[in-house]
Amino acid sequence: MMRTLVLARNLGERLGGYARRAYPQEACGVLLGKSAGDDRIVISVHQARNLNAERPRDRYELDPGDFLAADEEARKTGLDIVGIWHTHPDHPAQPSATDRAAAWPGWSYVIVSVSCDGVGDVRSWCLSDDRFEEEAIRS
Amino acid sequence: MKTITVRIPTPLRAYTHGADEVRAEGATVADAMRALGDAYDGLLAQVLTEDGEPRQFVNIYLGSRNVRALQGMRTPVAEGDVISIVPAVAGGRA
């Protein structure tokens, strides 16, 4: 059965705002929340710096200092880092080979498609047996 | 020997039976990581190369500093220090 990521509408809209402001570069960040069985509930979303200076339009490297700060906040509030989000400017919200090569198990990977016309699809993926499986997003 | 806390990121908690942080002893970051490896099967191979250095997709922080900016794995630790294993998070549309 497909896993579910619960992402409240206002949090999804916040991701869309980050995506539009960063366009045409990729934006990225961290999802804080909790697990409920196989599903994950997002409680807050955080933007991180994209440290990839050479190819910021089609690659991201999430600032580990920002990751650490988000992890600290999660621990203080009894939450976990349950996932990572990033944008695909002018590209579908499907994981690329680059996404797959760098992915870790146990996290939801939310991808936001964005173009000059605005935010497109928002889809979530999770690594399962070394390949990405899509998760349902519910608000 | 100093007792320090090691914070485990979600993707590696399968190796620590779900624990989000564990205790380890040692005088340096390398000592503490070795102790961690002895206590939890399979964890060290995810974090360090065979030479004992952080893998390409892993950062090790002592407090708020990346050990690469300190004395690397030879960085001394003090009682009560916190080591964080920080997965490198990357990707992109192409």
Side-chain angles (χ1 to χ4, degrees), chain A residues 1-4 38-39 133:
Chain A
M1 200 174 81
M2 197 183 244
R3 290 169 186 261
T4 298
D38 279 347
D39 299 337
E133 284 186 358

Side-chain angles (χ1 to χ4, degrees), chain A residues 26 57-62 64-65 67-68 72 75 80-81 84 88-91 96 98-99 102 104-107, chain B residues 7-13 20-21 46 57-59 61 63-66 84-94:
Chain A
E26 292 208 8
R57 289 186 178 213
D58 62 8
R59 293 276 171 90
Y60 76 96
E61 292 172 26
L62 193 147
F67 180 97
L68 200 63
E72 184 75 26
R75 287 169 191 270
D80 258 334
I81 292 177
I84 303 297
H88 278 184
D90 301 314
H91 201 76
S96 66
T98 305
D99 289 328
W104 292 88
W107 275 337
Chain B
R7 291 182 169 177
I8 310 295
T10 313
L12 297 181
R13 289 180 196 163
D20 63 353
E21 59 181 40
Q46 301 293 318
F57 291 111
V58 173
N59 297 288
Y61 274 69
S64 61
R65 305 280 306 277
N66 192 325
S84 298
I85 300 171
V86 178
V89 181
R93 66 175 184 173

Side-chain angles (χ1 to χ4, degrees), chain A residues 12-129:
Chain A
E13 287 170 354
R14 190 170 300 173
L15 294 186
Y18 294 146
R20 283 195 304 273
R21 282 194 289 278
Y23 181 84
Q25 300 193 343
E26 292 208 8
C28 60
V30 171
L31 308 171
L32 302 193
K34 50 193 175 186
S35 296
D38 279 347
D39 299 337
R40 301 185 185 94
I41 302 166
V42 180
I43 305 292
S44 64
V45 301
H46 298 254
Q47 186 168 20
R49 278 164 287 195
N50 176 1
L51 295 185
N52 192 316
E54 286 180 10
R55 297 178 57 173
R57 289 186 178 213
D58 62 8
R59 293 276 171 90
Y60 76 96
E61 292 172 26
L62 193 147
D63 184 338
D66 289 342
F67 180 97
L68 200 63
D71 185 59
E72 184 75 26
E73 181 176 333
R75 287 169 191 270
K76 277 183 187 160
T77 52
L79 301 176
D80 258 334
I81 292 177
V82 295
I84 303 297
W85 65 269
H86 76 282
T87 64
H88 278 184
D90 301 314
H91 201 76
Q94 288 179 303
S96 66
T98 305
D99 289 328
R100 166 62 199 91
W104 292 88
W107 275 337
S108 294
Y109 281 85
V110 170
I111 302 178
V112 181
S113 178
V114 61
S115 71
C116 60
D117 296 326
V119 176
D121 284 347
V122 179
R123 298 170 73 179
S124 184
W125 308 82
C126 181
L127 207 56
S128 174
D129 293 332

